[in-house]
Amino acid sequence: MAHKKWIIADADKEKASELSEKFNIDPFIAFLLVSRGVDNELAVSDFISSSCEFSDPFNFVDMDKAVARIENAIDYGEKITIYGDYDCDGVTSTALLLSFLKSMGADVDYYIPSRETEGYGMNVNAIDKICESGTKLIITVDNGIASVNEADYLYSLGMELVVTDHHQIPDKLPKAEAIINPHRKENHMKFRDFCGVGVAFKLVCAIYGDTEDMLFQYADLVAIGTIADVMPLMNENRGLVKKGLELINSNSRLGIEELKKVATDSERILTSTDVAFMICPRINAAGRIDHASKAVELLVSEDYKDASLKAEQLNINNVHRQEIETEIFENIKEQVEKNPSLVQDRVVVIAGKNYHHGVVGIVASRVLEEYGKPVIIIGIDEDDNARGSARSVEGFNIFEAISYCSDLLLQYGGHPRAAGMGLLPENIDAFRAKINEYALKYHPVMPMETFNIDCKLSPFYLDLNLVDSLKILEPYGESNPQAIFALVGLTLLSVTPMGEGKHIRLECEKKGKKLRIVKFKTTAEDFPYKVGDKIDVAVKISKNLFKEKYYLSIQAVDIRRNGIDDKYFSEKSIYELFNLGKNNDVSVFANRDICSIVYKTLKSNGGWNYSIDDLYFSLKGVTYGQLQCALKAFEESGLISLENNKIKVLDVKSKVDLMNTPSMKSLKGRLNIG
């Protein structure tokens, strides 16, 4: 597992103290608010308020035109087709607008393209089908802003278009009766970070003429789409999600109630985190594994048996998605074992036959977590179509990197941290080489993956009272994540497998205070620390109800050996630049004493079954470059074998002169070491 650089937040303590007194909130919570930028009286008042002031939907430019055209279609009985998208935001947008227009008496249906065969956005074949059904007006949700050619085509067929979308504005807008998009410069609005379902909600509020009534009808759908699309939960989004969670937990629509039953205990009060991990993936699974229309039909269902059946089907799809994800991830691990160079590149590019296109993005995120560098996973289907999904670390713009390779691609698009592309299978090797050329050219030192921590905390402060105090920060989401605390210098007392060996429970201690900490998706065999080690643990806290009593639950989200500081990251950068010929730093040279330290550690541990970085942290007085230098010499002399970061100590009878290995002689010559 890649080691991340912990970034511990700071805040103006005096300002936090003032806000604590002004609003009668816990000083510690005030500190957290200030550290997150909620640092003045108005911002705090808005943040902690149970109500929210929602902006006028007519602050969107073209909203009056959209309302007039849609009302005209309803009045004259023109058929309307909603053109949606297959992700959770697109599904909830489609369900919301479909339900509303039906309640207004409209002749309306919807169309969502297949992720597998059509891809994102409008396409000519779909437009032909919609036209043949007698549609006069198409309304897009969560797409359409870039559909310039498709818009011209549908107008040539005698149809008209209203676009509602939240993606970035292109240089040329499509022909339409109205274009509703929060990022249009002409809008008269302060807050613009709505997702697709947020924009659709603003449209129905404008048509209906009242926001409160629409919140009671549709806030649950808006909350789910907003959480799923990882929109910042600040300002109006925070208010929408708050209202939506109230509805989900008290009076939600039938489809969501049935989805809750298959996802968790139906009596459980869901938080935004629960929605993100239990509800959103099941809705998304329909578009990934089957067809997103199955999720739309669930969300608009008014029949108990029908909704129950459809919820169960989405649950089955989600289980199947997880199985496919695991299969692809295991296949990637097998590829890496056979060819470790795949993950030694600055940008990891791995391709495989029949990797499901709906799942490769999730797998790319897992591979990034494993290796801490930008990742592109490409699936090649039976028709020899290659499509990839990319995920990146902060500071490495993967969209710009992919754009650099545009001559090798059939299509591409995306954002700084996530992107997608299509290409010919025969161009994959050239694409891998060129994107790594870009990385080498523009990032001599690759950005390291970072991990944001709210503050260091003594284990003695972890209790149920703190959990209750933190509730004021909810709902959690983008720009307002669940609080993460660093517990520094814990002594590891025991490691216990749990969940059929898939997870572990750690017992730790500091100054007499013992803690039980759960680490999910880590086996005891893969855990690199042993009893007695000093570790730092980044944790989230919550409370669990068991036999009518609440217990503190502590979950580890990152673990590292105690004492990691900027020295590690600095030494990695020095070594990286040295390999590129950018410096001649002597700190990368391992003399006999250093080699002896490294070799004795390997011998005493019977080799090494964890990452090279974990080996570095187990050593004292050895730089990162020296470790790499020593391992190279050991391998050349036959002392060890190194495969996929696993080190095996070999039985060597004769004496070995490490200083005469090819790498050592080359290094001494380069550094003028006698």
Side-chain angles (χ1 to χ4, degrees):
M1 194 69 70
H3 288 271
K4 306 177 183 72
K5 183 173 184 177
W6 287 11
I7 307 295
I8 298 177
D10 197 7
D12 185 329
K13 294 181 178 64
E14 187 174 328
K15 184 177 290 186
S17 178
E18 291 173 2
L19 293 172
S20 171
E21 287 187 28
K22 174 74 176 179
F23 292 96
N24 193 29
I25 56 178
D26 187 304
F28 181 62
I29 302 302
F31 174 87
L32 295 181
L33 287 173
V34 172
S35 74
R36 294 172 179 219
V38 185
D39 56 3
N40 60 69
E41 291 186 14
L42 180 60
V44 173
S45 178
D46 286 345
F47 191 90
I48 66 177
S49 174
S50 58
S51 61
C52 178
E53 185 175 336
F54 295 100
S55 62
D56 186 340
F58 287 96
N59 288 346
F60 283 82
V61 67
D62 279 2
M63 185 63 83
D64 54 342
K65 296 177 184 177
V67 171
R69 181 62 187 90
I70 293 168
E71 287 180 341
N72 188 66
I74 295 171
D75 291 343
Y76 287 93
E78 293 179 330
K79 185 176 180 184
I80 301 170
T81 295
I82 301 163
Y83 197 107
D85 184 34
Y86 40 67
D87 71 0
C88 193
D89 186 20
V91 165
T92 50
S93 303
T94 303
L96 187 156
L97 192 54
L98 180 68
S99 298
F100 172 76
L101 291 178
K102 281 187 174 181
S103 74
M104 298 294 288
D107 178 8
V108 59
D109 65 3
Y110 71 94
Y111 186 94
I112 294 181
S114 163
R115 179 194 291 265
E116 192 71 15
T117 60
E118 296 175 89
Y120 172 78
M122 300 180 75
N123 66 80
V124 169
N125 290 335
I127 292 168
D128 284 337
K129 292 176 187 176
I130 292 169
C131 184
E132 288 169 7
S133 73
T135 291
K136 296 299 181 185
L137 176 66
I138 294 177
I139 307 173
T140 68
V141 288
D142 195 30
N143 75 99
I145 195 68
S147 300
V148 175
N149 295 333
E150 292 80 5
D152 289 342
Y153 181 68
L154 72 85
Y155 270 90
S156 75
L157 298 177
M159 294 185 289
E160 293 182 337
L161 177 67
V162 168
V163 172
T164 76
D165 198 355
H166 74 114
H167 294 96
Q168 294 298 312
I169 306 294
D171 293 335
K172 184 178 180 181
L173 293 175
K175 181 178 181 180
E177 304 307 296
I179 297 176
I180 312 299
N181 187 304
H183 300 295
R184 292 188 67 179
K185 292 179 181 178
E186 308 95 314
N187 293 329
H188 301 289
M189 53 204 305
K190 294 180 180 178
F191 182 75
R192 295 172 181 261
D193 288 325
F194 297 102
C195 63
V197 72
V199 178
F201 177 73
K202 287 293 187 179
L203 174 62
V204 304
C205 290
I207 297 172
Y208 188 78
D210 185 274
T211 295
E212 282 300 319
D213 280 356
M214 293 299 94
L215 282 169
F216 182 76
Q217 293 292 329
Y218 303 114
D220 52 354
L221 294 175
V222 181
I224 291 169
T226 301
I227 292 168
D229 229 41
V230 200
M231 303 308 293
L233 292 197
M234 306 298 284
N235 204 290
E236 285 193 54
N237 280 346
R238 182 171 170 81
L240 288 167
V241 171
K242 274 187 175 182
K243 293 292 185 183
L245 289 172
E246 289 174 11
L247 203 56
I248 287 169
N249 287 310
S250 61
N251 190 29
S252 193
R253 66 197 60 247
L254 183 58
I256 293 176
E257 284 299 314
E258 292 305 307
L259 207 51
K260 284 167 63 178
K261 289 178 183 177
V262 299
T264 183
D265 175 8
S266 60
E267 300 300 315
R268 179 171 177 163
I269 301 298
L270 299 190
T271 65
S272 56
T273 305
D274 295 328
V275 170
F277 286 98
M278 296 177 182
I279 303 299
C280 298
R282 287 168 170 81
I283 294 174
N284 264 324
R288 294 184 187 280
I289 302 301
D290 193 347
H291 196 282
S293 61
K294 302 288 179 66
V296 174
E297 295 303 321
L298 168 67
L299 295 178
V300 301
S301 178
E302 297 180 355
D303 178 83
Y304 169 76
K305 287 186 178 179
D306 175 67
S308 179
L309 184 65
K310 285 183 167 62
E312 186 57 45
Q313 184 58 56
L314 260 61
N315 193 51
I316 292 170
N317 286 341
N318 191 51
V319 171
H320 187 39
R321 185 270 303 172
Q322 291 170 328
E323 291 170 347
I324 293 172
E325 178 188 330
T326 299
E327 287 175 8
I328 295 174
F329 189 68
E330 290 301 320
N331 180 266
I332 287 171
K333 286 167 66 176
E334 290 174 9
Q335 287 198 55
V336 171
E337 285 179 9
K338 294 175 183 175
N339 183 12
S341 65
L342 286 171
V343 293
Q344 290 166 3
D345 285 338
R346 302 164 76 75
V347 179
V348 176
V349 180
I350 299 176
K353 283 282 189 181
N354 298 317
Y355 284 0
H356 197 292
H357 297 311
V359 177
V360 290
I362 302 172
V363 176
S365 295
R366 287 185 64 178
V367 179
L368 183 150
E369 182 75 15
E370 187 77 16
Y371 296 103
K373 55 178 69 176
V375 173
I376 301 170
I377 305 299
I378 300 172
I380 307 168
D381 64 24
E382 293 176 351
D383 297 322
D384 228 23
N385 298 310
R387 282 189 282 169
S389 192
R391 297 293 185 270
S392 190
V393 298
E394 187 71 43
F396 186 89
N397 190 317
I398 195 67
F399 176 71
E400 288 184 0
I402 289 171
S403 301
Y404 182 82
C405 311
S406 60
D407 59 312
L408 295 169
L409 303 174
L410 300 174
Q411 69 272 336
Y412 64 97
H415 308 283
R417 297 286 298 272
M421 78 293 300
L423 69 167
L424 298 173
E426 56 264 32
N427 286 337
I428 291 174
D429 287 341
F431 171 73
R432 181 186 292 110
K434 190 162 186 179
I435 201 165
N436 276 284
E437 173 188 296
Y438 169 89
L440 183 61
K441 182 177 181 180
Y442 295 102
H443 293 276
V445 175
M446 287 290 283
M448 65 195 72
E449 195 171 8
T450 57
F451 193 82
N452 293 318
I453 306 274
D454 283 279
C455 67
K456 292 181 182 178
L457 203 61
S458 165
F460 290 91
Y461 284 98
L462 296 182
D463 57 25
L464 294 177
N465 290 330
L466 178 57
V467 176
D468 290 336
S469 296
L470 290 169
K471 283 183 178 179
I472 198 172
L473 299 178
E474 295 182 0
Y476 297 122
E478 183 68 12
S479 299
N480 184 47
Q482 186 174 352
I484 296 177
F485 306 113
L487 308 178
V488 177
L490 302 182
T491 300
L492 183 61
L493 301 179
S494 68
V495 181
T496 306
M498 53 182 287
E500 298 179 345
K502 297 177 182 177
H503 319 295
I504 53 175
R505 183 176 64 247
L506 312 177
E507 187 173 5
C508 301
E509 182 269 339
K510 183 175 182 179
K511 294 182 179 178
K513 174 71 172 179
K514 291 185 178 180
L515 300 172
R516 284 188 171 183
I517 304 171
V518 173
K519 180 71 173 73
F520 292 113
K521 294 184 178 179
T522 300
T523 66
E525 293 75 21
D526 291 335
F527 190 62
Y529 309 110
K530 61 183 184 295
V531 170
D533 283 348
K534 293 279 189 181
I535 58 175
D536 300 338
V537 187
V539 302
K540 296 178 179 179
I541 61 172
S542 59
K543 59 183 180 180
N544 286 339
L545 182 63
F546 181 69
K547 292 185 177 180
E548 300 183 352
K549 184 178 179 181
Y550 282 105
Y551 294 87
L552 180 68
S553 173
I554 308 175
Q555 178 189 341
V557 288
D558 198 32
I559 301 176
R560 65 184 194 178
R561 193 175 295 275
N562 177 243
I564 293 180
D565 54 26
D566 288 344
K567 174 176 170 289
Y568 159 66
F569 299 103
S570 173
E571 288 177 4
K572 280 196 80 169
S573 296
I574 290 170
Y575 177 68
E576 206 169 335
L577 289 169
F578 183 87
N579 277 343
L580 296 174
K582 303 286 186 180
N583 68 37
N584 282 321
D585 199 304
V586 294
S587 69
V588 303
F589 177 71
N591 59 28
R592 286 185 172 84
D593 290 340
I594 294 295
C595 288
S596 176
I597 293 170
V598 176
Y599 189 69
K600 285 178 180 177
T601 300
L602 293 176
K603 285 281 284 185
S604 65
N605 284 277
W608 194 258
N609 291 319
Y610 312 109
S611 72
I612 301 299
D613 286 17
D614 284 316
L615 175 58
Y616 164 83
F617 293 123
S618 72
L619 299 165
K620 299 294 183 184
V622 178
T623 71
Y624 191 85
Q626 287 170 339
L627 170 60
Q628 295 286 359
C629 169
L631 292 178
K632 184 68 175 173
F634 294 165
E635 192 174 22
E636 289 174 344
S637 62
L639 290 174
I640 65 169
S641 64
L642 177 58
E643 292 184 10
N644 195 26
N645 282 344
K646 302 293 189 290
I647 301 172
K648 183 178 180 181
V649 178
L650 303 176
D651 187 18
V652 178
K653 304 295 184 184
S654 57
K655 191 174 180 180
V656 171
D657 185 359
L658 292 173
M659 296 300 117
N660 273 324
T661 57
S663 62
M664 281 292 192
K665 287 195 289 186
S666 173
L667 201 55
K668 288 192 291 183
R670 178 175 169 180
L671 298 174
N672 293 318
I673 295 174

